[in-house]
Amino acid sequence: MTTATLDRPTARPGAGARTGSVVTGIGVAAPNGLGTEAWWAATLRGESGIRPLTRFDASRYPVRIAGEVPGFVDDEHLPSRLLPQTDRVTRLSLAAAAEALNDSGTDPTALPEYGAGVVTASSAGGFEFGQRELQALWSKGGQHVSAYQSFAWFYAVNTGQISIRHGLRGSSGVVVAEQAGGLDAVAHARRQIRKGAALMVTGGVDSALCPWGWAAHLAAGELSPVADPARAYLPFDAAASGHVVGEGGALFVLESDAAARAREARVYGAFTGYAATFDGPGTPRLQDAARLALDDAGLRPEDIDVVFADAAGARAADRAEAQALAALFGPRRVPVTAPKSMTGRLLAGGASLDVAAALLSLRDQIIPPTTATTEPAADCPIDLVTAPRETPVRHTLVLARGRGGFNSAAVLSAL
């Protein structure tokens, strides 16, 4: 997505941040915790989920660590009929969607037949499933390839399976914008709420921890070569040398503010602002995305209480992000955090997990820490949060950059 902003709402006089679409349910699958509360507690404790790979034998690869979702037993989350037709990423997505819907306290079957839909983000689709079927094709022949290969590898498969399982027959879709997609999907869901949808399941989950996926990660040339899981991914640190990849993400139930109030639902926060930009030749536009998102929310820079950074973990990219924040907010004038330092970068799931962290920061009035990095580099003039910080939190800004030039920014606000 390359538009500067989507669906600018009409401001209400004196309203401050604009409401309209609110989050009533959260579901999480993350490398440092399966389930929202388990992940959040681990994040506040500073517990990392980055560890040596176990999903396949990585001993012959130059990078052997990642963020794997722990304790996920497939048949505890899915009926047996779905196991042959789903990839790891879809199973994680179905579990997160079920948690989010249960958390929201809503019954999709009670909604109008076409009143609820699904918009998710994905960067890789079902890579592991695709690898297995390609191996069968070349080693055994086409008759040994599963019929489910026709969709199980596809970017939209998570949206489709969630829609089918929960009977969500309304407007649905998928966004492919790497890390930025986790914000873009929620923005698309907000658009459907404004058009009259009663409810949307939205967010992003990714998983490509298999040899085929690993070859792609290595080819990108951005993984840290450091073998120590505690020192491999150091956002904004002078010793930053790349990132660690992970799997997982977060899904949400998005409703209109009016509908949530009518059913007296518990609300985590409102999705009040969003913008997306695309880098031009030699012209990074992350700052523009942040500024436009604040404008969309009807807020000024001084209204933001914390920024959840993209945190690339590479010196040039970190410096560019830090300097963009300093230009917008002033040097070291706003707390900045990167809890993804405990999970690795989760592709489309990364920004969605940051949205979950922002919402829980609003709920608990605490900013989660960035771990490993103890002090930002001298050329990164930001107030980096390195220990949980209890402070009033009313408006949060989440930033994400996708490979290829995508920039997205979202504002989450307390009601």
Side-chain angles (χ1 to χ4, degrees):
M1 179 167 11
T2 59
T3 53
T5 185
L6 290 180
D7 297 334
R8 186 181 303 280
T10 301
R12 297 176 297 168
R18 301 154 181 166
T19 60
S21 297
V22 298
V23 176
T24 58
I26 303 175
V28 167
N32 59 340
L34 179 59
T36 301
E37 297 302 335
W39 158 75
W40 183 238
T43 297
L44 293 180
R45 290 193 300 267
E47 293 182 5
S48 177
I50 297 172
R51 55 182 67 89
L53 273 161
T54 64
R55 298 285 307 286
F56 64 94
D57 180 6
S59 61
R60 293 178 294 171
Y61 294 89
V63 178
R64 306 182 186 92
I65 59 174
E68 297 177 335
V69 175
F72 187 84
V73 180
D74 296 346
D75 56 14
E76 291 180 358
H77 297 276
L78 276 75
S80 58
R81 63 179 177 79
L82 282 179
L83 295 179
Q85 60 181 280
T86 51
D87 180 85
R88 166 84 166 187
V89 69
T90 303
R91 296 171 187 179
L92 293 173
S93 296
L94 286 168
E99 182 188 10
L101 284 164
N102 182 64
D103 185 44
S104 74
T106 189
D107 178 7
T109 63
L111 298 173
E113 184 176 8
Y114 299 101
V118 186
V119 178
T120 66
S122 176
S123 301
F127 245 50
E128 189 173 14
F129 196 105
Q131 174 187 304
R132 184 174 66 246
E133 299 310 316
L134 285 173
Q135 286 177 309
L137 172 66
W138 293 110
S139 64
K140 300 177 183 178
Q143 67 273 26
H144 294 278
V145 176
S146 169
Y148 297 125
Q149 168 68 359
S150 61
F151 62 81
W153 69 273
F154 192 48
Y155 302 102
V157 66
N158 299 339
T159 290
Q161 290 284 15
I162 293 167
S163 174
I164 292 168
R165 190 174 189 191
H166 297 285
L168 308 177
R169 302 180 65 189
S171 180
S172 297
V174 63
V175 175
V176 182
E178 212 249 356
Q179 188 93 2
L183 299 183
D184 297 342
V186 183
H188 276 289
R190 181 178 71 159
R191 172 180 283 182
Q192 297 307 320
I193 294 293
R194 289 176 175 171
K195 289 180 177 180
L199 176 151
M200 297 293 294
V201 173
T202 186
V205 176
D206 253 320
S207 177
L209 302 185
C210 61
W212 189 21
W214 209 242
H217 293 310
L218 290 170
E222 297 175 353
L223 295 187
S224 170
V226 177
D228 181 358
R231 299 295 299 168
Y233 180 32
L234 302 173
F236 302 108
D237 195 293
S241 60
H243 70 270
V244 173
V245 72
E247 65 176 355
L251 294 176
F252 311 99
V253 170
L254 199 68
E255 302 181 63
S256 72
D257 183 29
R261 290 182 184 277
R263 68 181 188 90
E264 299 182 341
R266 181 271 323 282
V267 172
Y268 287 99
F271 190 85
T272 52
Y274 164 78
T277 60
F278 195 79
D279 294 340
T283 309
R285 298 195 61 212
L286 180 64
Q287 182 183 338
D288 290 339
R291 178 177 50 80
L292 288 166
L294 292 179
D295 186 49
D296 186 33
L299 296 173
R300 299 167 298 178
E302 56 264 35
D303 295 321
I304 296 298
D305 299 304
V306 59
V307 175
F308 288 81
D310 175 68
R315 290 293 293 120
D318 285 348
R319 181 169 54 249
E321 181 173 22
Q323 293 177 353
L325 291 173
L328 182 61
F329 295 99
R332 302 175 182 86
R333 294 293 298 273
V334 63
V336 176
T337 190
K340 62 171 64 71
S341 58
M342 291 170 261
T343 65
R345 291 177 67 82
L346 312 184
L347 304 179
S352 291
L353 197 61
D354 279 344
V355 168
L359 292 166
L360 295 175
S361 290
L362 294 170
R363 183 192 72 178
D364 296 344
Q365 297 293 284
I366 189 169
I367 299 173
T370 305
T371 59
T373 301
T374 57
E375 183 177 354
D379 57 2
C380 293
I382 57 173
D383 173 17
L384 189 66
V385 177
T386 57
R389 185 181 298 183
E390 294 186 17
T391 185
V393 181
R394 179 153 183 83
H395 303 293
T396 68
L397 176 67
V398 180
L399 301 179
R401 291 174 291 189
R403 184 176 176 82
F406 297 97
N407 306 293
S408 293
V411 178
L412 289 303
S413 301
L415 291 182

